[in-house]
Amino acid sequence: MKQFGAKRARASRWASVPLRLVLVTVAAASALVTQFVMHNTGSLPEINLQNLIKPKPVAIGGVASVIDGDTIEVHGQRIRLNGIDAPESRQYCDDAKGFEYPCGRRSAQALDEFLAASRPVHCSFVTWDRYGRFVGDCTRSDGANVAAWMAEHGEALDWPKYSHGEYAPQQSKASAAKVGLWVGSFQAPWDWRAQHSDDGPTTAPLSVLGSGNAGCNIKGNISAEGERIYHVPGQKYYSVTLISPAKGERWFCSEAEAVAAGWRRSKR
């Protein structure tokens, strides 16, 4: 009789556990087991726990802030462009004469100018990446595919691991025309990240071309002479201006805030 009562008590406790918690726990355990099998056999595809526990979002549209050459932000949502990989913000490449140049920043600038030519951008959801970012297929308001343009102009590479070669034709055109990265020599972004994994984050907490908060996108820069100058979106040097908090530079949410803090507006 006692044994029967104990079984009923255990059953009652299980019945009180929320179904969602049970499903998430089972999904997490399954993912861990699968990852273990992958590590030991290498025969199964990558499993992303984010896609097991996060709901599929609706498409996103709006004016984008550029984080780097393959990542944008719309309405506070980070969006990773599906199928391509661009040089990291801190990455340098060699030009045709063998001189180094900041290919990561140049890629981001190219993306910024391309998106600005036909706003807004529209992104359909593909998956969540392992960092919890929305991975999407994005087009400008005129219908131009953003990832395809970046690959065709040599500002990013087709990423076979995720694209299955979708942008390989555009990449071949860029390579043949020797445009963008193909004008000189470079290291594939995924290889560069692997070699610099101990150097800290490859993308700064505040982006190169847009802030983490879409409303606070005014760049407070300090010149080589120590002058405090702020840049607003649309000005000539806004896209190429980098913000380094370590130097005392910062982002502002309004021009009034920048002026009150001692910064002056850039003349162009």
Side-chain angles (χ1 to χ4, degrees):
M1 193 69 178
K2 289 183 179 180
Q3 185 177 8
F4 179 71
K7 289 182 178 179
R8 289 187 60 184
R10 286 196 295 271
S12 177
R13 285 196 296 271
W14 275 107
S16 66
V17 177
L19 179 59
R20 180 176 175 79
L21 178 60
V22 174
L23 293 176
V24 170
T25 302
V26 171
S30 300
L32 289 173
V33 170
T34 305
Q35 293 285 12
F36 174 79
V37 174
M38 286 170 50
H39 179 74
N40 288 277
T41 66
S43 60
L44 295 177
E46 182 177 348
I47 300 297
N48 185 349
L49 182 58
Q50 297 283 345
N51 289 304
L52 298 176
I53 63 177
K54 294 184 71 170
K56 179 179 178 179
V58 296
I60 295 177
V63 176
S65 295
V66 173
I67 305 304
D68 58 28
D70 52 40
T71 309
I72 60 177
E73 183 174 289
V74 179
H75 300 316
Q77 174 65 63
R78 290 286 174 96
I79 301 172
R80 182 69 161 78
L81 299 177
N82 182 45
I84 62 170
D85 199 10
E88 295 295 334
S89 298
R90 295 188 289 109
Q91 187 172 348
Y92 279 73
C93 303
D94 292 337
D95 63 18
K97 296 181 178 180
F99 293 105
E100 285 191 342
Y101 71 97
C103 52
R105 286 185 294 181
R106 189 165 297 179
S107 172
Q109 181 180 356
L111 176 59
D112 188 55
E113 293 174 353
F114 175 69
L115 294 178
S118 182
R119 291 173 171 157
V121 68
H122 300 275
C123 300
S124 59
F125 177 78
V126 175
T127 186
W128 295 109
D129 72 6
R130 58 177 178 166
Y131 303 109
R133 291 178 301 184
F134 179 116
V135 178
D137 288 322
C138 301
T139 58
R140 294 193 315 187
S141 62
D142 63 359
N145 183 293
V146 179
W149 187 91
M150 291 293 286
E152 187 170 350
H153 289 78
E155 301 296 348
L157 300 183
D158 174 73
W159 200 355
K161 181 178 179 180
Y162 300 106
S163 71
H164 306 294
E166 181 175 356
Y167 301 113
Q170 290 87 346
Q171 179 170 292
S172 295
K173 288 183 180 180
S175 176
K178 295 189 181 301
V179 296
L181 296 169
W182 302 97
V183 73
S185 60
F186 61 90
Q187 187 174 27
W190 50 84
D191 291 332
W192 188 92
R193 285 194 298 273
Q195 291 188 5
H196 296 79
S197 59
D198 296 329
D199 294 349
T202 55
T203 302
L206 293 174
S207 65
V208 175
L209 299 175
S211 70
N213 181 339
C216 301
N217 58 359
I218 296 176
K219 299 180 177 182
N221 178 247
I222 299 177
S223 70
E225 293 75 28
E227 189 174 7
R228 297 170 182 260
I229 303 171
Y230 69 84
H231 303 259
V232 300
Q235 287 190 298
K236 182 175 181 180
Y237 297 112
Y238 181 84
S239 295
V240 295
T241 298
L242 301 180
I243 299 303
S244 173
K247 292 169 51 181
E249 297 174 335
R250 53 181 291 194
W251 295 85
F252 295 102
C253 300
S254 69
E255 290 194 62
E257 180 187 359
V259 172
W263 265 259
R264 72 160 176 83
R265 183 186 176 105
S266 172
K267 297 178 181 178
R268 53 182 179 170

